[in-house]
Amino acid sequence: MPAADGWPRLEWMDVAVGSDIHRVVFSGVPVDATRSVRARMEWLSGPGDGLRRLLIEPPYGFPAFCVDLITPAVHPDAQAGFIIMEVMV
């Protein structure tokens, strides 16, 4: 979602899940509402991988993070879509 200066602004919250740190992104990532959650995930693992790298690698992240992206639901019974992005080794 662009801010007043025109640059996109991501909104996230870092949470502890057991012994893991998850960065949950809940706003600011443009998604194609016509694509399935799986198609969004596949795009993020290829051409859109810069988002994962931005949020996991220094200076903004840490390689031990897991990044979870909340996206709009596709299925009418779902409240949201959920995509997990991890360090790729």
Side-chain angles (χ1 to χ4, degrees):
M1 153 177 357
D5 59 10
W7 288 93
R9 299 280 192 242
L10 298 175
E11 294 185 46
W12 70 75
M13 180 181 300
D14 293 341
V15 296
V17 180
S19 61
D20 297 329
I21 301 295
H22 286 244
R23 176 159 286 167
V24 181
V25 180
F26 53 88
S27 178
V29 177
V31 295
D32 184 347
T34 64
R35 301 181 90 183
S36 69
V37 174
R38 180 170 182 94
R40 295 172 195 168
M41 178 197 71
E42 290 170 350
W43 184 85
L44 284 165
S45 69
D49 190 51
L51 175 66
R52 180 190 62 83
R53 290 193 323 266
L54 173 74
L55 296 169
I56 289 180
E57 295 175 359
Y60 300 107
F62 185 72
F65 285 0
C66 238
V67 176
D68 306 322
L69 175 61
I70 298 173
T71 70
V74 176
H75 193 280
D77 294 337
Q79 293 180 3
F82 193 74
I83 298 170
I84 299 171
M85 297 179 277
E86 298 177 310
V87 172
M88 307 299 280
V89 284

